[in-house]
Amino acid sequence: MFGIEFVPDEPVYKIGYMAKLAEDSGFSNVWITDHYNNRDVWTTLAALSMMTNKISLGTGVTNPYTRNAAIIASSIASINELSGGRAILGIGPGDKATFDKMGIDWDKPLTRVRESVLAIRAFLAREQVSQAGFKGAQMAFSAGRIPIYIGAQGPKMLELAGAIADGVLINASHPEDFKFAVPVIRQGAEKAGRKPESVQISAYASFSADKDPAKAVAASKIVVAFIVAGSPENVLERHGIGMDQARTISDAIARYDFKAAMEGVTTRMTEAFSVSGAPADCRARVDELLGTGVTQIVVGSPIGPNKENAIKLIGKQVIAK
Ligand code: F42
């Protein structure tokens, strides 16, 4: 199964147009990112509910810090109603860098995600919620069953997702990352008495496809630069990337010197942190990812040097294969 990620950094109607194109090209899910400085994720999903017909619509991902869990439940239930049952809730601990700018304290993210997911599920089942600080709160309308996916990277968050979520969204593009993550998720499920295969595992990958593989790789470089700069040491080590190389890139990004940041991106880095190339190259990587236990490939930024062409190309030559 294929999903696609859109960052709402363009007008909502443009995102709606591309989501419809994705639906017509064979994608099953669309995931909209949530950062305060882009278009609002809920407004975008409401527009997409009206502009598409069958594609599932998810937050990819929202968080319990910028919004209260009861409000998240009400919002996703409204999207589910508006879209005829197509909503999926993606929720994660959120992005520390944006929280710092917003003056939000990233207090106990693991605990916060666990408590929020359980509370949201109870709200969606129209139970009276008296946990996680709520005092007998209850939804006034019913919205049906909505799958909840957790955005996770760290081992504890992955294990938690295995224990309580319907699915996991993992920001990674290389099979080695999934050889690490999949057993951790499965262990979390087993410990919680669940069937490991009941948890959907999504590779939320940086993807770039073009007929010209060099153009595809070039388009992925800026995204890969940000991923390298934000990756923990153990992940860089897993891919044979030195901390000094990563520091050169993060220093360039801190100076807003994106040209220098991209120049620091090596072939090893684009291979580790993106699925990029001609459609046949991308399909080969997709097959490797599916072989690790991944059940959904999410085609994430940049998608390709030309987004619309890339969506059509991926539909015809990656998904249809
Ligand atoms: N973040 C956004 O803000 N917006 C997005 O649109 C977005 C999309 C997205 C899509 C896929 C995806 O995988 C991630 C995405 N993210 C997005 C990022 C996401 O919100 C997280 O930042 C990212 O997944 C990293 O989280 P993590 O899984 O690594 O979890 C962090 C919190 C972590 O450190 N986890 C540790 C671990 O091992 O999993 C555990 C930390 C821990 O145990 N904390 C304790 C606790 O109770 O929380 C407290 C420890 C103490 O001493 O206080």
Side-chain angles (χ1 to χ4, degrees):
M1 186 196 283
F2 284 81
I4 191 162
E5 172 214 51
F6 290 116
V7 178
D9 56 2
E10 297 182 279
V12 170
Y13 269 113
K14 180 83 194 288
I15 306 291
Y17 164 76
M18 286 190 295
K20 180 68 185 135
L21 186 62
E23 175 175 277
D24 293 340
S25 302
F27 288 89
S28 308
N29 299 64
V30 54
W31 300 94
I32 305 297
T33 62
D34 183 6
H35 293 102
Y36 77 91
N37 51 339
N38 285 325
R39 275 66 170 182
D40 173 60
V41 62
W42 302 103
T43 312
T44 305
L45 288 174
L48 264 55
S49 300
M50 312 308 288
M51 294 175 75
T52 59
N53 303 106
K54 56 180 188 199
I55 200 163
S56 295
L57 305 170
T59 48
V61 300
T62 194
N63 70 80
Y65 289 91
T66 52
R67 286 198 151 212
N68 178 287
I71 304 295
I72 293 178
S74 159
S75 300
I76 200 70
S78 304
I79 297 297
N80 206 44
E81 191 174 77
L82 199 56
S83 65
R86 291 186 280 139
I88 303 182
L89 179 69
I91 184 166
D95 175 13
K96 185 175 184 312
T98 50
F99 289 172
D100 286 348
K101 291 209 168 79
M102 293 170 86
I104 291 175
D105 194 11
W106 213 34
D107 184 35
K108 294 209 176 295
L110 190 72
T111 313
R112 190 79 172 251
V113 170
R114 182 195 298 110
E115 289 183 346
S116 303
V117 168
L118 297 178
I120 291 167
R121 199 168 269 142
F123 277 122
L124 294 176
R126 294 202 59 201
E127 289 166 17
Q128 222 178 46
V129 182
S130 298
Q131 68 218 45
F134 290 105
K135 297 180 171 61
Q138 192 174 19
M139 285 293 126
F141 71 108
S142 168
R145 168 104 179 89
I146 300 173
I148 302 182
Y149 281 50
I150 293 182
Q153 251 85 61
K156 289 187 186 161
M157 201 64 76
L158 290 165
E159 194 177 336
L160 172 69
I164 66 170
D166 298 293
V168 197
L169 297 165
I170 305 167
N171 242 332
S173 308
H174 196 279
E176 284 308 314
D177 296 312
F178 293 92
K179 284 180 193 159
F180 162 77
V182 172
V184 179
I185 298 164
R186 289 189 174 155
Q187 196 184 33
E190 271 164 10
K191 272 201 213 162
R194 307 174 73 203
K195 284 196 182 128
E197 60 279 12
S198 66
V199 186
Q200 300 302 312
I201 301 178
S202 310
Y204 211 90
S206 166
F207 212 101
S208 183
D210 195 85
K211 282 190 178 117
D212 179 346
K215 274 194 193 163
V217 173
S220 76
K221 281 196 174 177
I222 188 64
V223 179
V224 170
F226 274 90
I227 298 172
V228 170
S231 289
E233 193 167 356
N234 64 322
V235 172
L236 294 172
E237 245 173 45
R238 187 181 299 150
H239 297 289
I241 296 162
M243 277 306 280
D244 49 335
Q245 290 174 290
R247 211 166 294 116
T248 306
I249 294 176
S250 52
D251 288 350
I253 290 175
R255 299 193 305 273
Y256 295 99
D257 186 350
F258 300 125
K259 187 168 173 278
M262 285 192 279
E263 280 165 5
V265 173
T266 62
T267 303
R268 185 182 279 268
M269 291 177 192
T270 52
E271 280 174 5
F273 295 115
S274 73
V275 179
S276 47
D281 306 323
C282 296
R283 182 66 224 194
R285 174 61 75 85
V286 162
D287 288 334
E288 276 186 77
L289 290 170
L290 294 174
T292 65
V294 165
T295 55
Q296 180 181 168
I297 306 291
V298 181
V299 169
S301 300
I303 302 173
N306 176 308
K307 254 186 220 170
E308 292 174 39
N309 287 349
I311 291 169
K312 292 183 206 159
L313 192 66
I314 295 166
K316 284 195 190 119
Q317 297 189 27
V318 180
I319 299 179
K321 286 280 155 194

